[in-house]
Amino acid sequence: MSPRYDEAPEVTPHNYPEVHLPPSGPELAAQRQQQYAPATPVKPDDSTNPPLQNTVYIAPFDNTTSPYAYDHQSAYGPLPPSEAGKASKKIWGCSGLVFVLSVIIAILSAAVIGLAAGTGVEASRANDAEARLASMSSSPATVTVTAPASTSTDSSSIDKGCSTNSASVTGSTYASSFFNKAIFKIFCNSDAPNNPLSSLFVGDFDDCMDACASYSYYMPMDFSTNVTSNNMTCAGVSFIPAWTNRTLAVQGGTPGNCYLHPGPQNQSALLNPNVGHPVHAAIVDSSA
């Protein structure tokens, strides 16, 4: 029986895609150089090959300008003109922008820390002041002022002795050393009449009589048109030794310890004191 060729094993066709690894840059360039190597020029035979009208000249392959040569720089693209040849400047290992931002952050941090510290100090001072004020308010200091007692010894040094020996002092005189040298007659434990012209604080009985003489001296000079008026002349004084103490004077609501009175003044018109303290009077002696 003759063999049948259709029963023999068949070769399975390979229809799968094949993997082709492209050659590296240098190999590709070498292959292209071999492929496009210039052929040996053949001298044309004019008799057998007529000259062509359009002769194409194929230049030898130049590896330096081959489009298939591998260029690492072309894979990443050319550098921009602004960055080409430009070296980055660094300060202490940081770029300029990072360094400037770091300096700004450091300055702001120092300012915040300083402000916080100052605020804390002022708050501490305010708290201390409030604590001191609270302690002072809770336990206020009490100041006790004790007025000196108006004794005969204390007053005798300023009332010409009326508080200790009124009988011998009454009727004596005092001559002012100033202001026309007016002469006063003293009456212990008496008060001069008429509403006072003025009141003031003086050191003693003598100063009170000098103030009366001064009033009579200056008032007519300042108000010459009214020299005949009674309120232009001081004719007598009332001196209260106890009110030389300002505390007692304030408590009594008195504006002074010496009161200047207008005339007329005479011994028979003198009043008995009723102010709660000893009062001594002196009137101008017009007969002297």
XYZ file of all heavy atoms in Angstrom, residues 93-162:
464
model
N 24.411 75.846 52.454
C 23.787 74.600 52.033
C 22.338 74.743 51.642
O 21.689 73.739 51.339
N 21.784 75.957 51.628
C 20.383 76.173 51.299
C 20.310 77.102 50.091
O 21.182 77.940 49.885
C 19.618 76.787 52.469
S 19.663 75.791 53.978
N 19.230 76.955 49.346
C 19.017 77.866 48.241
C 18.681 79.250 48.771
O 18.337 79.428 49.943
C 17.884 77.342 47.350
O 16.670 77.313 48.077
N 18.781 80.249 47.900
C 18.539 81.624 48.327
C 17.143 81.822 48.881
O 16.939 82.473 49.907
N 16.122 81.248 48.214
C 14.743 81.401 48.677
C 14.537 80.761 50.041
O 13.922 81.347 50.939
C 13.791 80.799 47.637
C 12.307 80.848 47.989
C 11.860 82.293 48.162
C 11.468 80.157 46.911
N 15.064 79.557 50.221
C 14.915 78.871 51.513
C 15.622 79.649 52.614
O 15.112 79.777 53.738
C 15.467 77.434 51.407
C 15.468 76.758 52.770
C 14.639 76.633 50.415
N 16.791 80.209 52.298
C 17.522 80.976 53.319
C 16.748 82.224 53.738
O 16.639 82.539 54.922
C 18.889 81.359 52.759
C 19.717 82.176 53.703
C 20.364 81.573 54.779
C 19.825 83.550 53.548
C 21.113 82.328 55.669
C 20.579 84.313 54.424
C 21.228 83.697 55.488
N 16.183 82.956 52.765
C 15.410 84.166 53.094
C 14.188 83.816 53.926
O 13.872 84.475 54.923
C 15.012 84.898 51.796
C 14.047 86.037 52.099
C 16.245 85.438 51.093
N 13.468 82.763 53.548
C 12.287 82.354 54.324
C 12.677 81.935 55.740
O 11.972 82.230 56.706
C 11.573 81.211 53.608
C 10.910 81.568 52.272
C 10.286 80.338 51.647
C 9.849 82.646 52.469
N 13.817 81.277 55.885
C 14.271 80.862 57.216
C 14.576 82.075 58.086
O 14.234 82.116 59.269
C 15.512 79.973 57.081
O 15.234 78.827 56.317
N 15.220 83.091 57.493
C 15.521 84.313 58.260
C 14.248 85.007 58.704
O 14.109 85.453 59.845
C 16.407 85.254 57.418
C 16.560 86.607 58.100
C 17.776 84.635 57.201
N 13.254 85.123 57.809
C 11.985 85.773 58.160
C 11.282 85.021 59.281
O 10.759 85.608 60.239
C 11.091 85.878 56.917
C 11.728 86.822 55.884
C 9.702 86.354 57.280
C 10.986 86.880 54.569
N 11.271 83.695 59.179
C 10.616 82.898 60.229
C 11.326 83.072 61.558
O 10.702 83.180 62.619
C 10.584 81.415 59.801
C 9.657 81.229 58.588
C 10.128 80.532 60.949
C 9.672 79.849 58.003
N 12.660 83.145 61.540
C 13.410 83.328 62.787
C 13.101 84.683 63.425
O 12.914 84.792 64.642
C 14.910 83.207 62.512
N 13.013 85.745 62.594
C 12.707 87.079 63.129
C 11.308 87.120 63.730
O 11.086 87.643 64.825
C 12.858 88.136 62.019
C 14.330 88.235 61.594
C 12.347 89.488 62.482
C 14.550 89.146 60.400
N 10.342 86.540 63.012
C 8.971 86.518 63.544
C 8.895 85.711 64.830
O 8.182 86.084 65.778
C 8.028 85.942 62.490
C 7.831 86.788 61.217
C 6.922 86.071 60.241
C 7.260 88.154 61.575
N 9.620 84.616 64.900
C 9.603 83.804 66.125
C 10.176 84.585 67.301
O 9.640 84.566 68.415
C 10.398 82.519 65.892
O 9.844 81.760 64.839
N 11.297 85.302 67.058
C 11.892 86.100 68.134
C 10.934 87.198 68.588
O 10.810 87.487 69.786
C 13.209 86.702 67.654
N 10.223 87.839 67.628
C 9.274 88.892 67.997
C 8.131 88.332 68.840
O 7.714 88.936 69.837
C 8.736 89.569 66.741
N 7.632 87.164 68.452
C 6.535 86.556 69.218
C 6.992 86.184 70.622
O 6.292 86.408 71.618
C 6.000 85.323 68.458
C 5.021 84.546 69.323
C 5.328 85.757 67.166
N 8.193 85.643 70.729
C 8.704 85.266 72.046
C 8.894 86.497 72.923
O 8.547 86.520 74.103
C 10.019 84.478 71.893
C 9.756 83.125 71.197
C 10.684 84.254 73.246
C 11.019 82.362 70.862
N 9.475 87.571 72.336
C 9.657 88.799 73.110
C 8.346 89.402 73.560
O 8.206 89.866 74.692
N 7.337 89.397 72.662
C 6.027 89.936 73.037
C 5.393 89.116 74.145
O 4.813 89.663 75.086
C 5.124 89.956 71.793
C 3.701 90.480 71.992
C 3.738 91.932 72.474
C 2.895 90.370 70.702
N 5.519 87.813 74.051
C 4.945 86.965 75.094
C 5.629 87.206 76.437
O 4.987 87.278 77.493
C 5.064 85.494 74.682
N 6.968 87.359 76.402
C 7.690 87.610 77.648
C 7.301 88.947 78.259
O 7.069 89.073 79.466
C 9.198 87.556 77.388
N 7.217 89.996 77.409
C 6.826 91.307 77.918
C 5.422 91.299 78.479
O 5.135 91.895 79.531
N 4.503 90.623 77.797
C 3.131 90.539 78.294
C 3.088 89.814 79.629
O 2.341 90.196 80.541
C 2.265 89.814 77.264
O 2.343 90.507 76.009
C 0.822 89.767 77.715
N 3.886 88.769 79.771
C 3.913 88.051 81.039
C 4.426 88.894 82.183
O 3.896 88.871 83.294
N 5.476 89.707 81.906
C 6.027 90.569 82.956
C 5.006 91.610 83.393
O 4.794 91.854 84.585
C 7.324 91.240 82.452
C 7.792 92.294 83.436
C 8.418 90.200 82.264
N 4.358 92.259 82.408
C 3.371 93.284 82.754
C 2.180 92.674 83.483
O 1.629 93.273 84.411
C 2.900 93.997 81.477
C 3.983 94.821 80.797
C 4.524 95.898 81.707
O 3.751 96.430 82.528
O 5.727 96.202 81.629
N 1.772 91.488 83.070
C 0.664 90.832 83.766
C 1.050 90.505 85.210
O 0.241 90.643 86.141
C 0.269 89.557 83.020
N 2.291 90.078 85.413
C 2.749 89.796 86.771
C 2.750 91.050 87.628
O 2.332 91.048 88.788
C 4.153 89.177 86.725
O 4.646 88.949 88.021
N 3.207 92.167 87.045
C 3.203 93.420 87.795
C 1.785 93.856 88.134
O 1.510 94.323 89.247
C 3.894 94.512 86.978
C 5.396 94.306 86.814
C 6.001 95.408 85.973
N 7.445 95.250 85.840
C 8.218 96.021 85.085
N 7.673 97.032 84.403
N 9.516 95.811 85.010
N 0.885 93.725 87.181
C -0.509 94.102 87.444
C -1.103 93.239 88.549
O -1.819 93.742 89.426
C -1.329 93.977 86.154
N -0.794 91.944 88.517
C -1.319 91.063 89.570
C -0.753 91.435 90.939
O -1.470 91.427 91.948
C -0.980 89.609 89.231
C -1.717 89.111 88.007
O -2.790 89.617 87.679
N -1.152 88.138 87.314
N 0.542 91.785 90.966
C 1.136 92.190 92.246
C 0.497 93.470 92.766
O 0.217 93.604 93.964
C 2.645 92.395 92.072
C 3.370 91.091 91.769
O 2.785 90.021 92.050
O 4.501 91.143 91.259
N 0.251 94.430 91.861
C -0.376 95.685 92.284
C -1.784 95.449 92.804
O -2.208 96.026 93.819
C -0.401 96.670 91.115
N -2.534 94.565 92.122
C -3.888 94.264 92.586
C -3.852 93.564 93.942
O -4.699 93.822 94.814
C -4.593 93.393 91.557
C -4.919 94.124 90.250
C -5.615 93.230 89.258
O -5.797 92.032 89.582
O -5.978 93.714 88.175
N -2.862 92.695 94.137
C -2.760 92.003 95.422
C -2.450 92.986 96.548
O -3.023 92.919 97.641
C -1.684 90.920 95.340
N -1.527 93.930 96.268
C -1.207 94.930 97.301
C -2.404 95.818 97.604
O -2.680 96.150 98.758
C -0.017 95.777 96.838
C 1.302 95.029 96.822
C 2.471 96.005 96.734
N 2.420 96.798 95.508
C 3.015 96.439 94.390
N 3.696 95.303 94.321
N 2.944 97.208 93.311
N -3.133 96.201 96.545
C -4.310 97.039 96.754
C -5.374 96.295 97.543
O -6.027 96.870 98.433
C -4.873 97.476 95.395
C -6.116 98.373 95.420
C -5.805 99.667 96.172
C -6.599 98.677 94.024
N -5.546 95.005 97.253
C -6.534 94.221 97.990
C -6.153 94.089 99.458
O -6.999 94.186 100.359
C -6.681 92.837 97.347
N -4.848 93.894 99.715
C -4.416 93.779 101.112
C -4.579 95.094 101.854
O -4.964 95.124 103.030
C -2.954 93.324 101.166
O -2.115 94.279 100.547
N -4.337 96.217 101.157
C -4.522 97.508 101.796
C -5.995 97.796 102.056
O -6.361 98.385 103.075
C -3.915 98.615 100.916
C -2.399 98.556 100.803
S -1.753 99.752 99.600
C -2.248 101.276 100.397
N -6.846 97.356 101.123
C -8.278 97.591 101.314
C -8.846 96.733 102.433
O -9.744 97.150 103.165
C -9.026 97.299 100.002
O -8.541 98.137 98.971
N -8.335 95.525 102.566
C -8.855 94.636 103.600
C -8.426 95.051 104.998
O -9.137 94.830 105.978
C -8.396 93.196 103.322
O -6.975 93.125 103.334
N -7.253 95.680 105.103
C -6.770 96.109 106.418
C -6.240 97.534 106.328
O -5.041 97.750 106.271
C -5.680 95.163 106.913
O -4.620 95.121 106.000
N -7.131 98.510 106.225
C -6.668 99.886 106.095
C -5.947 100.355 107.346
O -6.298 99.997 108.464
C -7.972 100.672 105.869
C -9.026 99.829 106.484
C -8.588 98.409 106.283
N -4.930 101.160 107.108
C -4.172 101.693 108.237
C -4.974 102.799 108.912
O -5.592 103.642 108.249
C -2.832 102.236 107.756
N -4.990 102.763 110.192
C -5.725 103.749 110.968
C -4.745 104.724 111.577
O -3.815 104.331 112.281
C -6.536 103.059 112.083
O -7.416 102.105 111.478
C -7.334 104.086 112.886
N -4.937 105.994 111.239
C -4.080 107.044 111.767
C -4.873 107.834 112.787
O -5.943 108.376 112.482
C -3.578 107.975 110.636
C -2.716 109.088 111.216
C -2.824 107.161 109.594
N -4.372 107.865 113.975
C -5.047 108.572 115.055
C -4.279 109.843 115.369
O -3.086 109.798 115.662
C -5.137 107.690 116.323
O -5.806 106.473 115.979
C -5.882 108.414 117.428
N -4.948 110.972 115.265
C -4.348 112.263 115.549
C -4.887 112.736 116.888
O -6.101 112.898 117.061
C -4.666 113.294 114.448
C -4.080 114.645 114.794
C -4.161 112.790 113.109
N -3.976 112.911 117.774
C -4.359 113.377 119.113
C -4.021 114.850 119.221
O -2.855 115.243 119.127
C -3.620 112.574 120.204
O -3.898 111.182 120.011
C -4.047 113.031 121.587
N -5.046 115.665 119.386
C -4.826 117.106 119.498
C -4.253 117.425 120.860
O -4.682 116.858 121.878
C -6.145 117.848 119.301
N -3.279 118.295 120.890
C -2.711 118.649 122.192
C -3.727 119.385 123.041
O -4.518 120.180 122.539
C -1.519 119.556 121.829
C -1.864 120.101 120.482
C -2.646 119.026 119.791
N -3.707 119.089 124.299
C -4.641 119.735 125.223
C -4.280 121.198 125.385
O -3.115 121.570 125.440
C -4.609 119.032 126.576
N -5.335 122.009 125.437
C -5.109 123.446 125.579
C -4.947 123.762 127.061
O -5.902 124.063 127.771
C -6.292 124.213 124.987
O -6.123 125.596 125.159
N -3.741 123.641 127.516
C -3.450 123.899 128.924
C -2.935 125.320 129.086
O -2.558 125.990 128.131
C -2.396 122.907 129.443
O -1.188 123.100 128.702
C -2.867 121.465 129.269
N -2.912 125.760 130.350
C -2.445 127.119 130.627
C -0.985 127.279 130.261
O -0.552 128.323 129.807
C -2.647 127.453 132.108
O -1.951 126.524 132.935
N -0.191 126.186 130.387
C 1.228 126.263 130.068
C 1.433 126.415 128.580
O 2.256 127.207 128.136
C 1.959 125.013 130.592
O 1.723 124.888 131.986
C 3.438 125.109 130.312
N 0.629 125.634 127.776
C 0.770 125.704 126.326
C 0.354 127.078 125.813
O 1.009 127.636 124.936
C -0.060 124.610 125.668
C 0.447 123.212 125.976
O 1.652 123.072 126.264
O -0.368 122.279 125.930
N -0.728 127.648 126.297
C -1.262 128.901 125.772
C -0.524 130.133 126.279
O -0.515 131.164 125.614
C -2.749 129.035 126.141
O -3.492 127.971 125.589
N 0.079 130.012 127.423
C 0.710 131.201 127.998
C 1.850 131.727 127.138
O 2.156 132.918 127.152
C 1.212 130.916 129.421
O 2.222 129.900 129.385
N 2.448 130.841 126.355
C 3.573 131.274 125.521
C 3.111 132.028 124.283
O 3.930 132.688 123.639
C 4.409 130.055 125.107
O 3.614 129.164 124.329
N 1.830 131.958 123.959
C 1.331 132.643 122.754
C 0.244 133.669 123.082
O -0.146 134.427 122.186
C 0.792 131.614 121.734
C -0.369 130.815 122.313
C 1.918 130.699 121.256
C -1.027 129.882 121.328
N -0.250 133.715 124.297
C -1.323 134.682 124.617
C -0.867 135.755 125.604
O -1.687 136.352 126.301
C -2.559 133.959 125.150
C -2.291 133.217 126.458
O -1.193 133.349 127.018
O -3.183 132.475 126.900
N 0.449 135.969 125.676
C 1.048 136.992 126.528
C 0.774 136.761 128.013
O 0.818 137.687 128.824
C 0.571 138.400 126.115
C 0.963 138.754 124.683
C 0.695 140.195 124.353
C 1.675 141.129 125.041
N 3.066 140.995 124.564
N 0.452 135.510 128.403
C 0.235 135.166 129.794
C -1.188 135.312 130.268
O -1.456 135.143 131.459
N -2.134 135.570 129.366
C -3.528 135.723 129.784
C -4.080 134.454 130.412
O -4.931 134.498 131.306
C -4.395 136.136 128.610
S -4.285 137.875 128.175
